[in-house]
Structure formats: C-alpha cells, structure tokens
Amino acid sequence: MSRAVAGPEIERLIQLLSKLPGLGPRSARRAALHLIQKKDQLLVPLTQAMEVAVDRVVVCSRCGNVDTSDPCTICSDQRRDPHMLVVVEDVADLWALERAGVLNARYHVLGGTLSPLDGVGPDDLSIDALVERVSADAVTEVILAVNATVEGQTTAHFITDRLAGLPVKVSRLAHGVPVGGELDYLDEGTLSAAIRSRTPF
Amino acid sequence: MSRAVAGPEIERLIQLLSKLPGLGPRSARRAALHLIQKKDQLLVPLTQAMEVAVDRVVVCSRCGNVDTSDPCTICSDQRRDPHMLVVVEDVADLWALERAGVLNARYHVLGGTLSPLDGVGPDDLSIDALVERVSADAVTEVILAVNATVEGQTTAHFITDRLAGLPVKVSRLAHGVPVGGELDYLDEGTLSAAIRSRTPF
C-alpha cells in the first residue's frame, strides 16, 4: 500500500533529489523535507544558485573544466605555470587534484579513457586537442594523472606514443602506499610497486 | 592551500548542497558536478521542481503537514476516517507512518515536544489546536505516535491530561522488538517492555 504522502509536486522533488549521488530514496525524502522546512535559509538560496548554474555554467574550451567563465578560472590564472599540463580523465579528478593543492599547473580533461569494449576510441577523447595544446603552448612537462586502472594505463601509453617526437617530458603519478595506509590492507600490486619505487630514507 | 577550483557561483552551489542532510562537503562537491554534467536530465528539472516548491508549498492549517494545497492531500482525502487522529512530533514522522501505510486516519503535527530546558512549553506546540480539533471533529480515538524518548513521553502525558474529560480514547504505539530485530542487540528497556506486553502465540 503506497499512497501519496503529499502532492505530486513534492513527490517529484523527492524523486529528482534521489538521483543525486549520495542520496537514496529515504535520504532524498529527508532532504526534501529539510529544504521545505528551511525555505528562506536553504530552499530559496539553493534554487537561486541552481538557476545561476543552469544559465552560466559552461565547459572550458581550452581544458574541459566546468566553470562559469570560458576560459575557466584555472586557465585564466596568470600565476599558473603555462608550460606544465596535468592530464586527467574527468572534471572530478581535476577538482580532487586541486583540493590537494600541490600543483600550480594547468589541466587537460580527456573526457574518459580508451575502452574498446565500450566503444570509446581515441576520437571520443580530447587527445588531438591535447597534442595541439602541447605544441601551441610550448608545454615542457605533461603529467598523466589518470586512474591506476587498466583503461587509465592504456590511455596513458596511447598518449605517450602520440606525444613522442615533441620536446616534452611525460611523467605519471607515483604508485605506492597511500599516506595513512596500512600494509596489511594493501594489495600485492601496490606493495610490489612501492618496493620497486622505494626511496632513500 | 585552498584555492577556488571554479568560480564563486559553483563554490556557492557546493556550499549550499552541503547543508542538505546526508551530504557532507565532499559528497556535495560530487553532487554539484553531477548536476552540472547532467544539466538537461537533472539540473534543469530539479531547479524547476524547487521553484515550484518555493512558490507553492504551504503548511496545512488543519494538521501542520506540508503540501502544495491547504488543506493538505491527507486532510482532503474523504476516504480517511475523520474520527481517528494520529498525533506526531513533526512532518518527518507523519511521512514515516504514511510509508508504513497501515493507518487510514488523519494527523496532527505538534511541531516538537515539551522541553523545559530548551524553553519549549505547551504554548509553543499546537496542543490547544489539537484539543479544539478533537471536540470540533468529534474525534473518537487519538493515537499518540510520539518518539519513545523522555521528551516524547512527557508530551504524551501532558496531552493525555489535556484530553481528560473529553469522550475520546487515547492510545500510544506499542513498545517491543522491532521486526527483523535481534534480541542480542536490543537494550534492556525495550526487552522488558516486550516481555511485559507479550502476546498469546
């Protein structure tokens, strides 16, 4: 027996909220109620922020980041080294690296990884644009910050081949023990990579 | 080192999303990115649903439920027994009971519980309105579906005193073992209540 608790407008709000990552049907219901009960403090400002996002968010034509300006905040930042380019699979990875805050470089979002089984070939990713950018901007180092998965590594090899012949250094992220990680819980691949890449103490 | 990953409009969207129950700063970032990347499928419809909520959601003047009509869907439902009233602390409890779907009654939302330490007295809850409704609608049974907390039970006692003298039966939810619950994980209070209220098998 499932009856409508409230009018269809509220049910629709709940149903759409439940599509957000991190919210299920039950927490979407709680979120909807929270929004409705905090109308002036939360529902109205969040609605306005989303209207702004609908109107103004664009994909950066240079790097593929999402922002309210094109070129994006990062591409327009004159203090960043224009000769170092960090290649990532998607925008979430770009944001994660920015949170770490260790880089002062620019980015290039591929839009995925090579995956023949899913029908994703080189033309579906922004690899040509990357090669062009490397030449045009006189990039001296490309850091391949792709995921440590089979698809990520395949894509990294493909990009390295495409960049061969250009005067650019290509590097990748180090493999090893995550900071705070316990050896007992790590897989053999990570452990052997950490031993191979051991550093003087 | 914390730099803006994107323009202030996106940072504001993330910050507001992180105020939803169930979303923290990290999952709010993921939700914002998901919204932006699914603009037509999710961001636009959700924004519209929230605009509708801003414009149309009201508190039911009879029972205190939130809905897009006043009286609300439940109060307007002619198939519900008008003589049975379920008293709940807040709208979330009302929705939870409706999901169970076992009741065909109407509700009365108190808006909280008596809590002298927090300065919540009888005048801050809709207790007077409850007593009036019981008389006016010729209610024959009031079910006190308040939380099994000290505040909830205090409030239940207070309401029972206020209803004394009116021709109405007052009941409360049964205490006992939750369905699917394991005895080993239950507290002593629940177990002794379950034994005291044991039923023939």
Side-chain angles (χ1 to χ4, degrees), chain B residues 194 197-201:
Chain B
S197 308
R198 64 193 178 277
T199 53
F201 189 66

Side-chain angles (χ1 to χ4, degrees), chain A residues 120-166:
Chain A
V120 181
D123 294 341
D124 301 309
L125 308 178
S126 62
I127 295 178
D128 287 341
L130 170 66
V131 177
E132 259 170 57
R133 247 183 117 184
V134 168
S135 307
D137 297 355
V139 171
T140 53
E141 180 169 7
V142 166
I143 303 178
L144 298 171
V146 291
N147 291 332
T149 56
V150 172
E151 289 84 6
Q153 297 308 305
T154 310
T155 310
H157 281 292
F158 185 87
I159 292 173
T160 310
D161 287 349
R162 286 291 305 272
L163 294 174
L166 291 174

Side-chain angles (χ1 to χ4, degrees), chain A residues 82-105:
Chain A
H83 305 300
M84 187 188 278
L85 213 51
V86 183
V87 175
V88 292
E89 292 178 17
D90 55 38
V91 177
D93 297 337
L94 187 164
W95 287 12
L97 287 168
E98 277 297 297
R99 279 202 301 281
V102 75
L103 283 161
N104 197 34

Side-chain angles (χ1 to χ4, degrees), chain A residues 35-116:
Chain A
L35 279 170
I36 288 169
Q37 290 181 327
K38 303 241 175 208
K39 186 168 171 176
D40 292 331
Q41 304 102 297
L42 189 54
L43 177 58
V44 171
L46 181 56
T47 306
Q48 285 164 352
M50 286 169 61
E51 284 164 357
V52 170
V54 169
D55 290 342
R56 300 200 33 207
V57 168
V58 288
V59 173
C60 175
S61 56
R62 289 195 198 173
C63 74
N65 189 13
V66 291
D67 203 343
T68 44
S69 59
D70 180 20
C72 71
T73 310
I74 292 174
C75 284
S76 321
D77 185 349
Q78 293 303 323
R79 290 161 303 179
R80 288 180 186 251
D81 184 352
H83 305 300
M84 187 188 278
L85 213 51
V86 183
V87 175
V88 292
E89 292 178 17
D90 55 38
V91 177
D93 297 337
L94 187 164
W95 287 12
L97 287 168
E98 277 297 297
R99 279 202 301 281
V102 75
L103 283 161
N104 197 34
R106 294 190 177 158
Y107 292 87
H108 191 84
V109 179
L110 289 175
T113 44
L114 293 176
S115 177

Side-chain angles (χ1 to χ4, degrees), chain B residues 105-126:
Chain B
R106 294 190 178 158
Y107 292 87
H108 190 86
V109 179
L110 289 175
T113 45
L114 294 176
S115 176
L117 285 178
D118 300 321
V120 182
D123 293 341
D124 301 309
L125 308 179
S126 63

